[in-house]
């Protein structure tokens, strides 16, 4: 029973393409996140949603668009992919807004060629 | 710019010894502090949290916080090969603001 699951695990694509990453949590948590981890292991928050509502939007290019159809799902769509988008993208959840204990998904390794 | 700094390592420690991981942060108003462990190719998992000055022990792990020096550390006693991983320090400026700032991590290798 995976708590936070994201698909796909690997994504290899050409520059300029559009791709999506899906995330689901079965923990009953209210808050979900997208983090980006670069090749130097630097983990940086991109977005946070609480009960389907956007609460944190870091300075991320607007080519990145998150969507939360319900509080158990947070998807990430990326338009016009660039080489610099290559990274590992982690979905995470926490019990509620303000709870700092994050539960991470297994990550999606995105490679843009 | 709120920053969290860690020595990237690699830090090599003999099995059975104490591994000491250090982290400094720039925002004096930071309130809560966390250590996440990330095995190669895996996701980060929370192993320790600390909120007040002093030591907090959990099994073989001890977190130490010194807010005056803006310094947080993680000690791992009786290091095991299974402790080999990257350890990420994370800091939160305000309670209720779940936007954690992570350090770049320290890669720890336990040598059998």
């Amino acid at each position: 029973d995976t708590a936070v699951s994201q698909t796909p695990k690997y994504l290899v694509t050409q520059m300029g393409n559009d791709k999506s990453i899906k995330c689901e949590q079965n923990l009953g948590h209210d808050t979900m996140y997208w983090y980006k981890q670069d090749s130097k292991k630097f983990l940086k928050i991109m977005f946070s949603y609480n009960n389907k509502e956007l609460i944190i939007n870091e300075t991320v290019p607007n080519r990145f668009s998150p969507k939360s159809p319900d509080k158990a799902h947070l998807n990430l769509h990326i338009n016009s992919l660039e080489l610099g988008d290559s990274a590992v993208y982690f979905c995470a959840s926490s019990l509620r807004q303000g709870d700092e204990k994050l539960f991470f998904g297994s990550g999606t390794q995105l490679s843009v060629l | 710019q709120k920053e969290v700094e860690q020595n990237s390592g690699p830090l090599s420690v003999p099995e059975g010894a104490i591994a000491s991981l250090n982290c400094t942060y720039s925002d004096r108003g930071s309130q809560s502090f966390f250590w996440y462990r990330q095995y190669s190719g895996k996701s980060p998992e929370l192993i320790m949290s600390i909120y007040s000055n002093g030591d907090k022990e959990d099994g073989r792990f001890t977190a130490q916080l010194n807010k005056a020096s803006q310094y947080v550390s993680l000690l791992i006693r009786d290091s095991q090969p299974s402790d080999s991983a990257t350890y990420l320090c994370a800091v939160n400026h305000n309670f209720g603001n779940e936007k954690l700032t992570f350090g770049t991590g320290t890669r720890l290798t336990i040598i059998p």
Side-chain angles (χ1 to χ4, degrees):
Chain A
D1 287 348
T2 306
V4 182
S5 60
Q6 54 183 108
T7 56
K9 189 165 176 60
Y10 300 98
L11 190 49
V12 181
T13 189
Q14 300 286 333
M15 264 196 320
N17 284 350
D18 303 338
K19 290 293 178 186
S20 292
I21 308 172
K22 295 186 175 182
C23 179
E24 175 182 3
Q25 55 95 2
N26 62 6
L27 297 167
H29 288 175
D30 285 347
T31 311
M32 295 185 72
Y33 313 80
W34 278 109
Y35 278 83
K36 178 181 179 181
Q37 188 171 46
D38 63 23
S39 57
K40 295 183 179 178
K41 292 288 193 184
F42 183 52
L43 192 62
K44 188 171 166 61
I45 191 168
M46 300 172 69
F47 301 102
S48 172
Y49 272 72
N50 187 63
N51 269 320
K52 304 190 297 177
E53 289 190 18
L54 180 67
I55 52 174
I56 291 176
N57 183 347
E58 290 295 285
T59 32
V60 176
N62 57 15
R63 298 182 293 104
F64 290 79
S65 52
K67 279 193 172 51
S68 182
D70 55 62
K71 76 172 193 177
H73 296 83
L74 180 61
N75 304 322
L76 183 65
H77 187 76
I78 315 170
N79 288 326
S80 303
L81 278 157
E82 300 177 358
L83 293 177
D85 297 332
S86 296
V88 180
Y89 291 84
F90 284 102
C91 178
S93 71
S94 64
L95 183 60
R96 61 182 68 84
Q97 188 178 350
D99 188 338
E100 300 148 315
K101 297 185 178 74
L102 302 181
F103 293 78
F104 284 88
S106 56
T108 295
Q109 184 164 338
L110 172 65
S111 299
V112 182
L113 307 177
Chain B
Q1 177 75 20
K2 302 179 178 62
E3 290 185 353
V4 178
E5 295 190 5
Q6 299 178 250
N7 187 329
S8 61
L11 175 65
S12 296
V13 172
E15 184 175 356
I18 296 174
S20 177
L21 305 162
N22 304 317
C23 172
T24 58
Y25 57 94
S26 61
D27 185 0
R28 193 169 281 279
S30 298
Q31 297 286 345
S32 47
F33 308 86
F34 305 86
W35 284 98
Y36 281 79
R37 177 177 63 199
Q38 186 174 22
Y39 292 114
S40 181
K42 301 295 185 183
S43 56
E45 59 174 327
L46 179 67
I47 55 171
M48 288 288 282
S49 59
I50 187 165
Y51 301 93
S52 52
N53 280 328
D55 293 2
K56 178 182 176 184
E57 189 174 316
D58 183 1
R60 295 186 297 111
F61 298 96
T62 299
Q64 299 175 318
L65 175 61
N66 184 326
K67 288 186 179 180
S69 300
Q70 295 174 236
Y71 175 95
V72 58
S73 64
L74 179 71
L75 301 178
I76 307 174
R77 289 183 300 283
D78 187 24
S79 298
Q80 304 295 310
S82 59
D83 295 326
S84 297
T86 296
Y87 289 80
L88 302 170
C89 175
V91 173
N92 196 345
H93 174 63
N94 283 318
F95 282 125
N97 176 358
E98 65 281 10
K99 189 172 72 174
L100 293 181
T101 300
F102 283 84
T104 51
T106 297
R107 188 156 58 92
L108 174 66
T109 300
I110 305 302
I111 303 168

